[in-house]
Amino acid sequence: MNKVITISREFGSGGRSVGKLVAEKLGIPCYDQELIQKIAQESGYCEEFIAEKSEHHNNKFLSNPFAFRDYYGNSIQDKIWLAQLKAIVEVANKGPCVIVGRCADFILDGTADLLKVFIHADNKTRAHRIVEQYGEAEQSPEKRLKEKDKRRAAYYQVNTDKKWGDMKNYDISLSTSSLGIERCADIIVELYKS
């Protein structure tokens, strides 16, 4: 059974940066944006569409009985979920790795030796990060943080029947605003090796 680190994260917390640094320190692959290509290939949808939809759930589809479904009753979001599930299992089966987001903690539960991590930060740190590093300045950073986290929480809830960010779902929760990216990565590496 491969050792896999899954990183769930609040938007703007630096979870992706932590994941990449952990993978670099351990000499193992990190899958984040790379999964989008695999999901796109598997689902047949373009990468831009997958990037937008693969961590978000549109609740309108849940309540709309007339939403498009194929012959088997699958919606577009169902097809993306199945492609995502296949891609995550595939990369985890290749060997030890870090997987950022996309409900990997849930998907791989029981099939890999998991270290499930949740990365968070205070709103001031997150707002600064999304403006300075992500270049998101079109709307208020606080509104963007709230919107993005709400969408991630809904997506996680719909696909896992669990609450996103609930510490019972993770082995450890780390604050990048308190500890910094480097220290968070070091803690995860230490846990992985122990």
Side-chain angles (χ1 to χ4, degrees):
M1 197 178 284
N2 290 324
K3 288 180 85 170
V4 177
I5 299 167
T6 61
I7 297 183
S8 298
R9 75 277 186 231
E10 289 180 325
F11 181 59
S13 65
R16 175 182 298 150
S17 299
V18 171
K20 289 183 184 285
L21 188 55
V22 166
E24 183 182 307
K25 287 174 181 268
L26 291 171
I28 61 176
C30 180
Y31 297 101
D32 180 23
Q33 298 299 322
E34 300 81 2
L35 284 174
I36 292 172
Q37 293 174 329
K38 290 184 176 297
I39 296 166
Q41 290 168 353
E42 183 65 32
S43 68
Y45 296 112
C46 72
E47 289 181 29
E48 292 79 15
F49 184 75
I50 298 299
E52 173 60 27
K53 301 294 182 188
S54 67
E55 281 195 308
H56 304 106
H57 200 283
N58 183 348
N59 289 326
K60 292 177 190 173
F61 283 109
L62 291 175
S63 59
N64 183 356
F66 303 107
F68 177 77
R69 298 192 176 273
D70 66 12
Y71 177 78
Y72 303 102
N74 292 323
S75 69
I76 291 170
Q77 289 181 316
D78 293 335
K79 289 179 183 179
I80 292 171
W81 171 255
L82 292 173
Q84 178 172 295
L85 189 139
K86 185 175 180 182
I88 288 171
V89 169
E90 186 179 294
V91 299
N93 284 338
K94 285 182 180 177
C97 62
V98 176
I99 302 175
V100 179
R102 294 179 175 72
C103 302
D105 58 307
F106 175 80
I107 291 169
L108 297 174
D109 198 27
T111 65
D113 182 5
L114 291 182
L115 174 58
K116 298 182 277 187
V117 179
F118 189 81
I119 300 292
H120 59 96
D122 62 39
N123 283 347
K124 182 179 176 185
T125 301
R126 295 168 62 208
H128 178 76
R129 178 179 285 280
I130 70 167
V131 171
E132 295 300 317
Q133 293 186 9
Y134 304 171
E136 295 205 19
E138 294 157 11
Q139 59 178 289
S140 86
E142 293 78 14
K143 182 178 178 184
R144 180 74 172 126
L145 293 173
K146 187 175 180 180
E147 175 187 284
K148 189 89 165 180
D149 284 348
K150 183 178 177 182
R151 291 175 70 184
R152 282 184 179 171
Y155 182 78
Y156 193 85
Q157 171 72 38
V158 165
N159 288 301
T160 69
D161 201 27
K162 294 182 177 188
K163 187 177 177 190
W164 177 77
D166 184 342
M167 295 310 112
K168 289 181 265 181
N169 299 328
Y170 310 99
D171 298 311
I172 189 168
S173 173
L174 300 169
S175 169
T176 55
S177 52
S178 299
L179 300 169
I181 301 286
E182 184 85 30
R183 182 66 186 128
C184 286
D186 288 340
I187 291 169
I188 296 167
V189 168
E190 287 172 35
L191 288 171
Y192 181 86
K193 289 180 175 179
S194 63

